[in-house]
């Protein structure tokens, strides 16, 4: 895997986490609210969404305004563009 493909896959992983978080925003917000600290929130969001620390951190760093429907669509569209750039399409 070359550097460009690695970067695409990293961005896709983050976008997938963000889209999942948007689809499950009530659960994500509840977990964040119930967590004792940021590290616990990262761990619990990762468990909920089935993503690693990088994806969880991206979710917690997401500004609340980005949870609007049009923003979700923009992220999903970007993920599709990136998938098309990969040799295996995944």
């Amino acid at each position: 895997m070359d550097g460009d493909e690695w970067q695409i896959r990293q961005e896709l992983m983050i976008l997938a986490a963000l889209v999942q978080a948007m689809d499950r925003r009530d659960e994500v917000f509840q977990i964040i609210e119930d967590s004792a600290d940021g590290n616990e929130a990262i761990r619990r969001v990762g468990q909920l969404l089935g993503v690693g620390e990088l994806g969880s951190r991206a979710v917690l760093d997401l500004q609340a305004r980005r949870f609007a429907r049009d923003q979700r669509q923009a992220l999903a569209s970007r993920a599709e563009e990136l998938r098309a750039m990969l040799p295996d399409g995944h």
Side-chain angles (χ1 to χ4, degrees):
M1 180 181 329
D2 66 14
D4 288 341
E5 184 177 342
W6 183 84
Q7 283 184 307
I8 290 170
R9 291 189 186 283
Q10 288 293 104
E11 187 174 348
L12 273 170
M13 181 183 60
I14 291 169
L15 290 171
L18 295 175
V19 169
Q20 283 186 73
M22 290 172 167
D23 289 344
R24 299 179 75 177
R25 70 179 139 273
D26 291 338
E27 294 167 275
V28 169
F29 288 148
Q30 189 63 54
I31 283 175
I32 294 168
E33 182 180 333
D34 293 345
S35 295
D37 59 30
N39 289 332
E40 181 182 348
I42 289 167
R43 182 182 52 75
R44 291 182 63 201
V45 166
Q47 289 172 341
L48 173 70
L49 302 177
V51 300
E53 184 176 343
L54 184 62
S56 295
R57 285 185 183 279
V59 169
L60 268 68
D61 289 345
L62 188 66
Q63 294 177 2
R65 69 180 174 82
R66 296 290 307 264
F67 277 85
R69 277 188 215 121
D70 68 327
Q71 295 295 310
R72 185 209 178 279
Q73 184 56 46
L75 292 173
S77 293
R78 175 66 179 150
E80 286 301 314
E81 290 173 16
L82 291 172
R83 279 188 199 94
M85 298 169 70
L86 293 172
D88 62 1
H90 295 101

